[in-house]
């Protein structure tokens, strides 16, 4: 630890803390305050400690059990200095935030008898020592996050109330503490999922630690990449030229890229070389920043700019929609998206939009009686009027923006009855009601089948795990497809920490990486959903494309599937009207099959593909309908 000294009119503050801490490393610090003038009775020192991550499962600060982590205490230099330490929660209009233990982030050290000139108190946090106990207690640890492109830092704030009247003066006592990645563990390769023959493409490399934190300064100059044609077994070595790894495929087929001669685990990139058809782009269209009020209340630095940079430089997304949460549209910024926030959403989205590199869509997430719905806007938000106060449900949004281009994308976790405690948001309405879902609208063509915050919502037969451990009857994707909804699939992160693409991602087949092209393909349901791996799935029936609705064709259906995944495939399943029609097992990471359904169609029928990987991950296509 290093000593940092700050002199003020009120007193001298000496902070001992490490300038740099490895993720998941032990965290401790000491603040010593020596009064230069008298502190009145009831005067206090307030310390606001930084949030590490969204919905952390343990307190940031606690005073009740010195054996446990995150214990903070204060003592006077002399016995007659009476010091009391209490923990306050960060202020928030959201009951669920104040209910979480990770809102315990403010330590108030009160000087019951004041402090005379020259007297000293010490405030200590963490470590394995306590008064008269050395090495006996559980260490406190910093978070597992160190993924910011511009550096991940802990920012502490200190305030002093000299007179004991509740009026605090901020003192900049703590240095910035940098949180750095652990040692290198894995190499993550990213390349275009669909390529054309003899066209060069760029291969991106991220070296990450065991917590998926990127190590930006890792030397990759000596890496040797090998691209392999999985059909012919032909291999080509790729080396770095002018800071780039450039690959090329000489013929159509399935390819994978690995790194040879390394002790690090390699997450390969997989590609399908196909000279006809669209490109495949990957994105996260349900993720948040601290422009969302409840994230801002317990913020870990999730600024929109950090999210966009992470999407581009770390998760290597092609497109993104940062959708900020709101209940209504008014000037109550403590819970809703006000006009200023609306403008910032649009400004930041436009600032980071770069054709051919990163496509950004502005968006919001509306909490309403039907449930939660992401609204993704096609164009700059400056083209869309700020909604009126009577926009309360998604149907109101459809009417308000009639004639405008946007998508509404529902997700189905609002009425999960498996949570141990429900917050006011979930109790605000009476619960799930299919009548709220009857209305059809041409803007609603996608649904979230999976999110990393909640889990999988495909059907009511699979186990419900992660945050949503149960669901109510009739509230799954298959239930709605069986009721006639024409929804394609999406998977997203629903992230709150500024790291979009860390989990679920949505693939879309589009002609080019622009807002116009990707929006058109999302609107046409040309989508894949994945729990994270970039599993390529090409799927058509009798030359009908994924997402299409086909009328009057009763002929036998040839179901064509090409798929390749970064890890071995366990099985490929054809789902017809919510049930498994055909299941093909696999022992490799790619498959090219055709399955024929010769049964007569006597009712509306849809098909989609589910790919199950050996490591437990899933990929889904949007359906193809016959009506």
């Amino acid at each position: 630890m290093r000593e940092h000294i700050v002199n003020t009119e009120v007193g001298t503050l000496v902070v001992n803390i490490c300038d740099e801490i490895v993720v998941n490393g032990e965290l401790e610090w000491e603040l010593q305050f020596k009064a230069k003038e008298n502190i009145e009775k009831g005067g206090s020192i307030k310390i606001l400690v930084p949030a590490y991550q969204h919905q952390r499962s343990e307190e940031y600060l606690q005073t009740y059990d010195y054996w446990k982590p995150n214990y903070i205490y204060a003592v006077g230099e002399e016995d007659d200095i009476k010091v009391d330490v209490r923990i306050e929660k960060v202020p928030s209009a959201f009951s669920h935030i104040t209910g979480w233990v990770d809102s315990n982030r403010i330590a108030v050290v009160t000087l019951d008898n004041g402090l005379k000139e020259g007297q000293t108190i010490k405030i200590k946090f963490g470590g394995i020592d306590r008064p008269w106990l050395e090495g006996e207690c559980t260490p406190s640890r910093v978070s597992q996050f160190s993924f910011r492109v511009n550096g991940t830092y802990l920012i502490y704030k200190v305030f002093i109330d000299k007179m004991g009247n509740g009026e605090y003066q901020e003192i900049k006592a703590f240095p910035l503490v940098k949180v750095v990645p652990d040692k290198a563990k894995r190499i993550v390769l990213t390349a275009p999922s669909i390529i054309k023959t003899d066209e060069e493409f760029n291969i991106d490399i991220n070296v990450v630690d065991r917590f998926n934190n990127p190590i930006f300064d890792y030397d990759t100059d000596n890496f040797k990449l090998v691209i392999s044609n999985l059909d012919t077994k032909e291999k080509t070595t790729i080396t770095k030229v002018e800071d780039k790894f450039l690959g090329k495929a000489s013929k159509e087929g399935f390819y994978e890229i690995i790194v040879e001669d390394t002790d690090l685990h390699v997450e390969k990139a997989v590609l399908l070389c196909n000279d006809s058809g669209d490109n495949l782009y990957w994105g996260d269209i349900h993720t948040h920043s601290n422009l969302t009020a409840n994230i801002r209340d317990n913020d870990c630095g999730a600024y929109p700019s950090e999210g966009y940079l992470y999407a581009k430089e770390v998760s290597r997304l092609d497109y993104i929609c940062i959708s900020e949460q709101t209940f209504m549209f008014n000037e109550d910024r403590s819970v809703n998206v006000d006009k200023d926030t609306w403008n910032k959403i649009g400004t930041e989205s436009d600032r980071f939009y770069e054709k051919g590199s990163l496509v950004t869509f502005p968006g919001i997430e509306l909490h309403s009686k039907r449930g939660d719905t992401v609204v993704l806007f096609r164009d700059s938000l400056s083209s869309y009027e700020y909604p009126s106060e009577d926009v309360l449900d998604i149907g109101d949004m459809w009417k308000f923006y009639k004639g405008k281009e946007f998508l509404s994308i529902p997700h189905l976790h609002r009425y999960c009855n498996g949570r141990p405690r429900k917050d006011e948001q979930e109790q605000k309405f009476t619960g799930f009601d299919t009548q709220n879902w009857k209305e059809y609208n041409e803007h609603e063509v996608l649904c979230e089948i999976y999110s990393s915050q909640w889990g999988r919502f495909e059907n009511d037969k699979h186990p419900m795990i992660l945050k949503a451990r149960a669901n109510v009857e009739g509230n799954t994707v298959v239930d709605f497809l069986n009721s006639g909804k024409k929804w394609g699939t999406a998977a997203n992160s629903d992230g709150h920490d500024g790291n979009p693409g860390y989990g679920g991602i949505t693939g879309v087949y589009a002609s080019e990486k622009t807002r116009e092209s990707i929006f058109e393909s999302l609107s046409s349901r040309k989508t894949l959903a994945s729990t994270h791996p970039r599993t390529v799935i090409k799927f058509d029936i009798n030359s009908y494309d994924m997402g299409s609705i086909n009328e009057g064709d009763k002929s036998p259906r040839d179901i064509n599937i090409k798929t390749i995944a970064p890890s071995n495939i366990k099985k490929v399943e054809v789902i017809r009207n919510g049930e498994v029609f055909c299941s093909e097992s696999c022992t490799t990471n790619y498959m090219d099959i055709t399955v024929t359904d010769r049964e007569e169609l006597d009712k509306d029928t849809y098909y989609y593909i589910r790919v199950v990987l050996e490591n437990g991950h899933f990929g889904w296509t949007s359906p193809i309908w016959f009506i």
Side-chain angles (χ1 to χ4, degrees), residues 100-111:
W100 291 340
V101 293
D102 67 356
S103 64
N104 296 336
R105 290 203 291 119
I106 303 173
V108 181
V109 180
T110 303
L111 303 161

Side-chain angles (χ1 to χ4, degrees), residues 2-3 109 197 223 302 340 347 375 405 517 526 590:
R2 192 162 71 86
E3 188 175 83
V109 180
T197 56
F223 279 3
D340 182 59
T347 299
V375 179
E405 293 201 78
S517 179
K526 296 180 179 180
Y590 68 105

Side-chain angles (χ1 to χ4, degrees), residues 221-256:
D221 287 344
N222 296 321
F223 279 3
K224 287 187 178 180
L225 278 60
V226 175
I227 180 170
S228 302
N229 184 311
L230 297 178
D231 295 313
T232 66
K233 311 305 179 187
E234 179 184 355
K235 297 182 178 182
T236 305
T237 300
I238 302 169
T239 55
K240 201 170 188 178
V241 178
E242 296 181 353
D243 293 330
K244 288 186 178 181
F245 288 95
L246 297 175
K248 186 187 291 186
S250 59
K251 61 184 69 175
E252 291 190 323
F254 298 97
Y255 289 81
E256 66 180 21

Side-chain angles (χ1 to χ4, degrees), residues 480-491:
F480 283 111
L481 291 177
N482 288 345
S483 71
K485 294 290 186 185
K486 300 298 188 290
W487 284 346
T489 56

Side-chain angles (χ1 to χ4, degrees), residues 127 479 518 621:
D479 285 315
I518 290 178
T621 70

Side-chain angles (χ1 to χ4, degrees), residues 51-89:
Y52 304 153
Q53 64 192 80
H54 170 70
Q55 204 170 336
R56 188 171 184 248
S57 59
E58 64 181 31
E59 295 155 297
Y60 285 97
L61 293 170
Q62 60 95 5
T63 63
Y64 57 84
D65 192 339
Y66 56 85
W67 296 106
K68 290 183 178 180
N70 308 315
Y71 185 71
I72 186 169
Y73 66 92
V75 293
E77 186 179 49
E78 305 295 338
D79 284 346
D80 62 349
I81 300 174
K82 286 193 65 178
V83 181
D84 175 69
V85 185
R86 73 178 188 274
I87 306 302
E88 294 181 351
K89 292 179 173 293

Side-chain angles (χ1 to χ4, degrees), residues 549-563:
I549 301 170
N550 308 290
E551 297 185 36
D553 189 343
K554 304 296 184 181
S555 61
R557 281 122 352 254
D558 290 328
I559 304 165
N560 303 301
I561 308 161
K562 294 180 186 288
T563 182

